Amino acid sequence: MVADLEEKTDRYGELLADALEEASIAPPDGTPMAEAAEECYEMAASYLEDGRHFREEGDRVNALASFSYGHAWLDAGARVGLFDVPTEGHLFTV
């Protein structure tokens, strides 16, 4: 059964918010990799805020897209070692 757009948007928004709380920058401070991690984290946080704005405006499609893009930044960063993330659970695909 296809998930309802409203339910899916809310679920992905919560997923991104939870993932942001769990992710921490892995590389040592002052290194190029730490700078890259900070940029990826900032992008994910910006997409979360954008998604919340779109959701408040009733634009569920762009909200869902924003939440999805934001999570992709975190998930990709976790895969390449920019973030320490939990390996159990549903937040990341590591």
Side-chain angles (χ1 to χ4, degrees), residues 4-70:
D4 175 70
L5 180 60
E6 185 173 341
E7 182 275 328
K8 194 171 195 175
T9 302
D10 291 344
R11 184 166 31 101
Y12 276 59
E14 291 173 15
L15 178 71
L16 176 53
D18 291 346
L20 280 164
E21 286 183 20
E22 292 294 325
S24 61
I25 294 175
D29 287 341
T31 64
M33 293 299 282
E35 188 174 315
E38 290 168 8
E39 290 174 5
C40 287
Y41 191 92
E42 185 177 311
M43 288 297 294
S46 293
Y47 274 116
L48 177 62
E49 292 308 311
D50 289 349
R52 287 175 173 166
H53 170 77
F54 287 129
R55 187 173 54 196
E56 288 172 10
E57 296 295 314
D59 187 349
R60 297 264 174 198
V61 171
N62 280 318
L64 178 58
S66 293
F67 295 146
S68 297
Y69 288 144

